[in-house]
Amino acid sequence: MKLLTLNTHSLSDANEDNKLKAIAHVISSRDIDVIALQEVNQTMNAKSISCDEHYVGRDIIKEDNFALALSKLLVGKYYWTYIPVKVGYDRFDEGLAIFSKHKITASENTLLTTTNDYSFWKKRNALGVEITKGTQSLYVYTAHLGWWDDDEEPFIKQWKKLNSVADKDMPVYLAGDFNAPDVLKDQSYETIKNDGWKDTRDLAKKVSGRFTAQGKIDGWDEAVDGMRIDYIWCNRDENVLSHEVIFDGKNEPVVSDHYGILMEDNL
């Protein structure tokens, strides 16, 4: 199985059309099974639109929704779902999306923060889907978590909720922007590992790239030399064939302020 995660930072940059085309080309050319996206935006005052049967979500989709545009470029080859999480940059419904070549049989929308105020930028949710691939069922979550030392919505409380709902008796993958640099001791990264989750980069037979954010980005203005804050975790020792940083300008063009991760295992 091939799983891609990417914080898209969508509708916030120039050349959105080229960005979408680049992402769709990689998904198609590399035959990726599941795509977990964060910061999937739609303009709040845009017109609502109906979607075809490949959209399996329950939330209202606006005509400029980034996931909708991507689904059109993928010409009906993927099922997809989307949830709005909060107001982004005072004009977007900022949300999460998952695409799958295989049937999506169930979904979860889990509030991770104490606040449920849609207008508060620190609100966080996780989107999870159950996927049936042949005779195998698996769960994939996409999430965008907060910071370890945040005094209002600290990482640890969000993680405890995600860890609890993701405790399932089947293969589970957690993908996304965890805001968890792996070089900081006794913080987010080590907390996830200590709770039994496997960093698929550690398991991979072939590894390419390291940093997933380069230079100054929102929330990490001091991190100019690059950080590893985006991950794909799994709940068991899968046979991971490869783990590569993608959309970094070397391995496919840059499409966001984050790079993506493409993981392949033998599931």
Side-chain angles (χ1 to χ4, degrees):
M1 182 187 73
K2 295 179 181 178
L3 171 58
L4 168 69
T5 185
L6 176 68
N7 180 325
T8 68
H9 198 58
S10 57
L11 307 190
S12 302
D13 304 314
N15 300 317
E16 281 289 312
D17 287 345
N18 291 336
K19 170 178 170 177
L20 271 163
K21 289 175 182 176
I23 296 170
H25 171 73
V26 168
I27 291 170
S28 297
S29 63
R30 299 205 183 202
D31 196 25
I32 298 173
D33 294 274
V34 182
I35 302 97
L37 304 176
Q38 308 88 48
E39 289 194 34
V40 180
N41 294 327
Q42 60 183 15
T43 305
M44 287 190 293
N45 61 6
K47 182 181 177 181
S48 300
I49 193 169
S50 298
C51 300
D52 65 23
E53 68 276 9
H54 288 87
Y55 175 62
V56 296
R58 296 179 291 273
D59 288 276
I60 294 173
I61 300 298
K62 306 292 180 61
E63 60 185 353
D64 67 347
N65 184 287
F66 185 83
L68 173 65
L70 180 59
S71 73
K72 291 179 179 178
L73 291 177
L74 296 173
V75 291
K77 295 179 180 178
Y78 288 80
Y79 300 97
W80 65 285
T81 187
Y82 168 83
I83 60 167
V85 175
K86 61 183 179 179
V87 175
Y89 298 100
D90 298 320
R91 66 186 190 277
F92 296 134
D93 294 311
E94 181 184 308
L96 303 164
I98 294 178
F99 286 72
S100 173
K101 280 200 314 181
H102 315 285
K103 194 78 171 181
I104 294 175
T105 54
S107 66
E108 297 176 359
N109 180 351
T110 303
L111 177 67
L112 300 180
T113 46
T114 302
T115 183
N116 196 22
D117 181 353
Y118 190 73
S119 66
F120 187 33
W121 67 276
K122 291 185 181 181
K123 180 177 179 287
R124 307 283 176 168
N125 287 57
L127 171 63
V129 298
E130 183 175 0
I131 294 168
T132 301
K133 183 177 183 287
T135 59
Q136 176 70 64
S137 293
L138 62 140
Y139 240 91
V140 176
Y141 289 87
T142 181
H144 183 185
L145 276 70
W147 295 267
W148 176 260
D149 55 358
D150 190 284
D151 57 354
E152 294 175 297
E153 294 289 350
F155 172 93
I156 190 65
K157 290 185 178 180
Q158 299 169 37
W159 167 248
K160 285 181 178 179
K161 288 187 179 180
L162 179 56
N163 187 38
S164 176
V165 299
D167 183 15
K168 291 177 166 61
D169 189 22
M170 66 177 73
V172 180
Y173 299 84
L174 308 180
D177 175 0
F178 285 77
N179 276 311
D182 61 351
V183 295
L184 298 182
K185 300 296 183 183
D186 301 320
Q187 291 194 12
S188 311
Y189 180 81
E190 290 189 356
T191 296
I192 299 171
K193 292 192 80 170
N194 289 340
D195 280 335
W197 290 89
K198 319 294 182 182
D199 182 346
T200 55
R201 189 177 191 270
D202 292 344
L203 301 177
K205 293 179 172 63
K206 180 181 178 182
V207 173
S208 173
R210 175 174 173 78
F211 293 147
T212 62
Q214 191 74 39
K216 294 181 179 180
I217 62 171
D218 289 346
W220 295 102
D221 289 344
E222 73 281 7
V224 296
D225 295 327
M227 296 183 300
R228 183 171 179 242
I229 56 176
D230 303 82
Y231 300 92
I232 298 174
W233 302 88
C234 60
N235 63 342
R236 55 190 69 190
D237 287 320
E238 296 291 348
N239 182 13
V240 180
L241 306 176
S242 63
H243 180 288
E244 57 182 309
V245 174
I246 194 171
F247 298 122
D248 61 352
K250 300 175 184 177
N251 184 9
E252 308 297 349
V254 173
V255 294
S256 174
D257 60 347
H258 286 244
Y259 306 149
I261 298 170
L262 178 58
M263 183 277 301
E264 181 177 7
D265 68 11
N266 69 343
L267 187 66

